[in-house]
Amino acid sequence: MPNRPIHIEGIEVNGDLILSDHGQTNVDRGDTVTWIIQPQSGVQKIDKIEKSGGVEVFSKIPAPFGNSGNWRGTISSTISGGSEEKYDIHYTRDGGTQIEIFDPKIMVNP
């Protein structure tokens, strides 16, 4: 199934992440979602990605993979179209400050 990359491009003054999907990713059942930390983004690492609202759309919960610092999760192949999950990204800035960002969402196509 296709990979839906979300590039972490930077950090706003208020701590919100600048994401390539502008905070909403549309996916199909069975897709893989990968969060990729871009060089010079100001993000040292992702500490945790967790559901904060809506329906659990992942069959494989987002987790780190490889030695890259990036994270990956797999969308359920049986989830209903139109399902939506809001999630939190906990991350560490370059220099060691831990931050929590929330509000991005994953939407499953009908």
Side-chain angles (χ1 to χ4, degrees):
M1 292 293 172
N3 181 39
R4 306 289 179 175
I6 300 172
H7 297 274
I8 299 172
E9 299 174 340
I11 305 170
E12 299 277 0
V13 173
N14 66 0
D16 288 352
L17 292 175
I18 301 168
L19 305 175
S20 62
D21 69 349
H22 306 287
Q24 179 175 317
T25 299
N26 294 334
V27 297
D28 292 318
R29 294 167 195 86
D31 282 356
T32 298
V33 179
T34 306
W35 290 265
I36 302 166
I37 301 170
Q38 295 298 115
Q40 310 302 316
S41 67
V43 176
Q44 178 182 342
K45 67 178 181 163
I46 297 170
D47 299 306
K48 179 172 40 171
I49 296 175
E50 64 183 353
K51 179 178 171 274
S52 65
V55 176
E56 178 62 69
V57 300
F58 290 97
S59 61
K60 184 174 179 187
I61 303 300
F65 70 96
N67 293 323
S68 65
N70 299 323
W71 283 52
R72 179 179 289 158
T74 303
I75 303 299
S76 171
S77 59
T78 60
I79 191 77
S80 297
S83 295
E84 175 182 307
E85 178 177 328
K86 293 181 180 178
Y87 61 96
D88 293 342
I89 300 174
H90 302 255
Y91 69 93
T92 300
R93 286 181 183 259
D94 289 345
T97 305
Q98 291 184 331
I99 306 277
E100 175 183 329
I101 178 68
F102 61 93
D103 197 26
K105 61 184 168 182
I106 305 283
M107 303 247 340
V108 179
N109 294 322

